[in-house]
Amino acid sequence: MAFPDIQSFMRLLEVRGELLRVSAPVSHDLEITEIADRLVKSGGPAVLFENVRGSEFPVVIGLMGTRERTALALGVNDLDDLAAKVRALIDLKGSGGKLGMLGNVTKLKDAMNLPPKRVKTGPVQDIVWRGDEVDLSRIPILKCWPLDGGPFVTLPLVISNDPETGERNMGMYRMQVMSKNTTGMHWQRHKTGTKHLEKAKRLGQKLEVAVAIGGDPALIYAATAPLPPIPGLDEFALAGYLRGQRYPVTKGITVDLDVPANAEFILEGYVDPSEDWIMEGPFGDHTGFYTLPDLYPLFHVTAVTMRRQPVYPATIVGRPPMEDAYLIEASERLFLPAAQLIIPEITDYHMPPAGVAHNLVFVGINKTYPGQAYKVANGMFGLGQMMFAKVIVVLDDDVKVNDFEAVWRAVAERAVPGRDTLTTRGPVDVLDHSSRGWGYGSKLIIDATTKRPEEIGGAESSRDLQAGDLAHETVFKPHAAADLPDFEGVVTQRQNGDGYWLVALNKTRPGQARELAKAFAAHPAAAGVRHLLICDEFTDVNNIQDVWWTILNNIDPERDVVQHGALLTWDGARKLPEEGFVRPWPPKITMDPAVVERVEAMWHVYGLPEAWR
């Protein structure tokens, strides 16, 4: 189903009871975030805030805040259908006579929807602000979290063209409002926008940029998708394919760029590569931690175009689960067939919310020979943005990759620390605050597959054995100890019975976590566990998702995942300068208690159901 624009999608959600209106006055300074955070974490509806203080425009948030709404937005009954849709497209038949070739007709028709459709103008150009009329403060751009450096555009579709080839790119890069007509442009070093700016600098010219806000759900998703660098395949093409119709684009008013004709707002302008970069941030990021201030280019807004009655769409990111988890899941479903083309033994993969996309990947494989898990994991590190993955767990295909606890049980039972774990190095996300260097760190592969004789030091070859005779080692049987030792700084701890020892540590001195790990590994209570997970004092050890979210954010595996005897210890505590960690350590995102109290007191005034409070 193709939606003409975001407002048509909103109307459908409202009919289905999945979008509620709030007419009471609300602030776009933290208040909307607190409401939206509660709703997305409880599986609640999208919300249209009709009366935003200081702005004439309403705000809509949470449009793709559930798996079901995301599937609806992308025109499928279930996100798993995306893989089938792509698999059907790439399975073109070159044989079978006329009947075989006729099977390609529908697929070729789908491919015809890839190129965008040019129109003379569109609703997004009904109203135009130019020059001094441009005033971003009139748009209800959210300040999301208390320590944020200012308001941030959180759903921007940033469009630029390669100055040499003309190839178009659209990406979603947060934008901090700096003044009435300037914003930061968060182009990270690996992003295509950065490459365009570097080329513009070599050519001695400004880089034209257009930022669309809105469009339709397929385009908003497409801007987040990790598309491979294939000429002619861009985000407009992906959106056209998903919606089953060519995407309508028109030329900008003041820039020579194609912009979505059905957007709510377009910010037109330029980035001057000869200008000094400006300090941007902090920002409460999708990792659940603040990204600390850093230098980024400045975007100059020369014109704003909009519909006659536009809606400002926004999202929030932060401590998972958040709305972006469903966009990430859509991408993993969409690109599964492509991954299987390159690495055919992959049966499925999943990036759970606790890993905030890049920190954790579960991969199921059809294993047929020794060492295959490492072959698959290393292959995945070479697949586009999968290069940012920090921990890859490889599993037999009898383990469901989307069953978080079942995966970790399989890890404890089938992966012997040291023997079945391997570290390597490579690029990491620049938002990773725990890596040894900015954008550079280590990675961990865990082979949780059933082992072949060669992998456990057996004398026999698996070629000479029947499939049912391959498992020769005793299966590890985890159990929780009743009495756990004390240690300096331990706030809470428990063993969960699945082979994991979870510890919240108030770290006050260098080396404290390493000493704890050695002491606990030598204690009799370690007999029934294989993994010791050391977190900061703000972690709830009774919430396994919270534990892994903290651990995965706070480790550089080569430095922090260390074997002590039979125990693999994960040091997810804060790193100190005295330990050789020279980068600043960011705080976890939390809301201002005064805002929490205000929202709590106003919930009935908003008219929102108690179930989502």
Side-chain angles (χ1 to χ4, degrees):
M1 178 179 183
F3 296 99
D5 49 39
I6 206 167
Q7 295 195 36
S8 63
F9 182 57
M10 290 166 55
R11 286 191 290 271
L12 176 61
L13 292 183
E14 188 167 22
V15 169
R16 293 164 59 105
E18 295 187 61
L19 181 142
L20 301 182
R21 295 173 180 263
V22 171
S23 58
V26 295
S27 173
H28 55 90
D29 186 346
L30 305 183
E31 187 175 352
I32 287 178
T33 292
E34 175 61 19
I35 298 168
D37 192 30
R38 295 181 183 211
L39 291 173
V40 74
K41 284 181 169 53
S42 60
V47 181
L48 177 65
F49 296 98
E50 299 176 307
N51 187 357
V52 182
R53 293 189 185 96
S55 179
E56 61 198 280
F57 308 114
V59 169
V60 67
I61 197 165
L63 290 173
M64 289 181 273
T66 66
R67 194 177 194 274
E68 293 73 23
R69 288 206 297 273
T70 304
L72 180 65
L74 300 182
V76 292
N77 293 322
D78 186 90
L79 289 180
D80 287 329
D81 296 339
L82 290 171
K85 189 172 182 178
V86 173
R87 193 171 286 112
L89 178 65
I90 62 180
D91 185 25
L92 294 176
K93 294 178 172 61
S95 60
K98 290 182 179 180
L99 288 178
M101 294 301 292
L102 284 174
N104 293 327
V105 172
T106 301
K107 303 166 191 177
L108 294 174
K109 183 180 178 181
D110 288 339
M112 292 294 290
N113 292 320
L114 297 179
K117 176 184 178 182
R118 187 175 304 282
V119 295
K120 289 184 177 181
T121 187
V124 75
Q125 295 175 339
D126 285 347
I127 298 173
V128 181
W129 298 345
R130 299 173 187 262
D132 290 340
E133 292 179 300
V134 174
D135 186 355
L136 299 179
S137 69
R138 294 175 59 184
I139 302 173
I141 299 170
L142 305 186
K143 181 180 179 183
C144 299
W145 299 106
L147 300 185
D148 283 358
F152 281 82
V153 183
T154 54
L155 275 180
L157 316 182
V158 181
I159 303 163
S160 60
N161 288 353
D162 186 305
E164 293 177 339
T165 68
E167 285 285 329
R168 179 173 47 228
N169 177 70
M170 177 188 294
M172 189 171 288
Y173 317 109
R174 73 183 192 223
M175 298 167 56
Q176 181 181 344
V177 177
M178 300 297 181
S179 71
K180 63 176 289 188
N181 60 358
T182 59
T183 78
M185 185 58 71
H186 194 79
W187 279 329
Q188 299 168 16
R189 64 164 59 174
H190 303 105
K191 301 300 183 180
T192 306
T194 297
K195 296 179 176 63
H196 289 180
L197 187 62
E198 290 169 349
K199 288 187 177 182
K201 185 174 184 177
R202 289 199 300 270
L203 295 171
Q205 64 188 45
K206 296 176 182 178
L207 181 66
E208 288 189 330
V209 178
V211 179
I213 301 172
D216 67 7
L219 189 66
I220 292 172
Y221 162 70
T224 73
L227 288 178
I230 300 173
L233 178 63
D234 63 18
E235 291 73 17
F236 284 123
L238 176 58
Y241 174 69
L242 290 172
R243 70 205 302 266
Q245 294 179 6
R246 295 174 64 190
Y247 207 92
V249 299
T250 189
K251 282 294 180 185
I253 298 291
T254 63
V255 293
D256 186 23
L257 294 170
D258 290 330
V259 300
N262 61 353
E264 301 295 305
F265 298 87
I266 302 288
L267 313 183
E268 300 184 358
Y270 65 90
V271 175
D272 186 345
S274 68
E275 285 185 334
D276 290 337
W277 288 13
I278 46 94
M279 192 63 72
E280 184 253 28
F283 177 67
D285 226 314
H286 77 100
T287 60
F289 288 71
Y290 282 96
T291 299
L292 298 178
D294 205 349
L295 294 171
Y296 282 94
L298 186 68
F299 173 52
H300 297 263
V301 183
T302 56
V304 177
T305 73
M306 69 191 77
R307 292 171 172 266
R308 293 198 181 279
Q309 293 183 311
V311 172
Y312 179 76
T315 191
I316 57 169
V317 293
R319 195 167 183 149
M322 285 287 193
E323 186 173 15
D324 61 334
Y326 305 109
L327 300 177
I328 292 165
E329 187 173 358
S331 285
E332 72 178 39
R333 297 300 88 197
L334 192 67
F335 291 100
L336 173 60
Q340 291 172 321
L341 274 178
I342 300 169
I343 310 174
E345 56 264 65
I346 292 176
T347 57
D348 204 356
Y349 76 104
H350 180 50
M351 298 178 286
V356 295
H358 55 273
N359 282 343
L360 182 62
V361 185
F362 297 152
V363 189
I365 67 169
N366 178 17
K367 182 176 177 178
T368 57
Y369 56 84
Q372 195 169 6
Y374 298 108
K375 177 261 190 185
V376 169
N378 283 303
M380 292 196 72
F381 283 135
L383 295 181
Q385 291 192 33
M386 197 63 74
M387 67 178 174
F388 299 132
K390 183 183 287 190
V391 176
I392 292 183
V393 178
V394 187
L395 304 136
D396 294 315
D397 56 11
D398 65 331
V399 181
K400 293 183 178 179
V401 294
N402 58 359
D403 187 333
F404 191 80
E405 295 188 7
V407 167
W408 288 117
R409 281 195 297 271
V411 169
E413 292 172 0
R414 303 181 188 181
V416 175
R419 189 195 71 186
D420 301 326
T421 53
L422 180 69
T423 56
T424 184
R425 299 175 191 163
V428 298
D429 195 301
V430 298
L431 302 181
D432 191 326
H433 62 264
S434 62
S435 60
R436 66 192 63 200
W438 187 68
Y440 173 68
S442 63
K443 299 156 182 295
L444 175 67
I445 300 169
I446 301 177
D447 177 4
T449 62
T450 301
K451 301 303 178 294
R452 302 259 162 173
E454 298 91 340
E455 296 170 314
I456 60 176
E460 296 175 291
S461 166
S462 58
R463 292 180 61 187
D464 302 323
L465 299 175
Q466 297 298 316
D469 297 330
L470 293 179
H472 292 290
E473 60 181 336
T474 302
V475 176
F476 174 73
K477 298 294 185 182
H479 61 88
D483 297 317
L484 302 179
D486 195 11
F487 192 87
E488 174 195 356
V490 171
V491 178
T492 54
Q493 61 173 312
R494 73 181 182 98
Q495 292 183 0
N496 67 359
D498 286 339
Y500 296 86
W501 191 344
L502 321 172
V503 179
L505 175 69
N506 180 16
K507 182 176 176 178
T508 57
R509 60 177 178 80
Q512 189 175 355
R514 186 62 59 92
E515 292 172 19
L516 181 155
K518 290 180 179 178
F520 279 19
H523 195 276
V529 299
R530 271 185 165 166
H531 297 266
L532 173 64
L533 309 181
I534 304 171
C535 307
D536 59 35
E537 68 272 30
F538 306 110
T539 304
D540 179 4
V541 299
N542 294 304
N543 183 337
I544 192 65
Q545 298 278 346
D546 194 43
V547 168
W548 277 115
W549 166 67
T550 299
I551 290 285
L552 293 162
N553 269 294
N554 287 353
I555 61 166
D556 186 304
E558 189 176 19
R559 179 192 66 216
D560 299 321
V561 184
V562 179
Q563 185 179 355
H564 292 286
L567 201 64
L568 195 67
T569 64
W570 304 62
D571 178 5
R574 178 171 56 95
K575 307 304 180 290
L576 302 174
E578 296 88 343
E579 297 170 313
F581 190 81
V582 297
R583 303 170 65 200
W585 194 265
K588 288 181 174 179
I589 299 170
T590 56
M591 182 51 77
D592 182 339
V595 175
V596 175
E597 290 181 14
R598 183 167 71 247
V599 169
E600 186 71 19
M602 290 288 292
W603 198 261
H604 68 287
V605 178
Y606 303 140
L608 295 171
E610 285 292 316
W612 296 307
R613 188 168 187 162

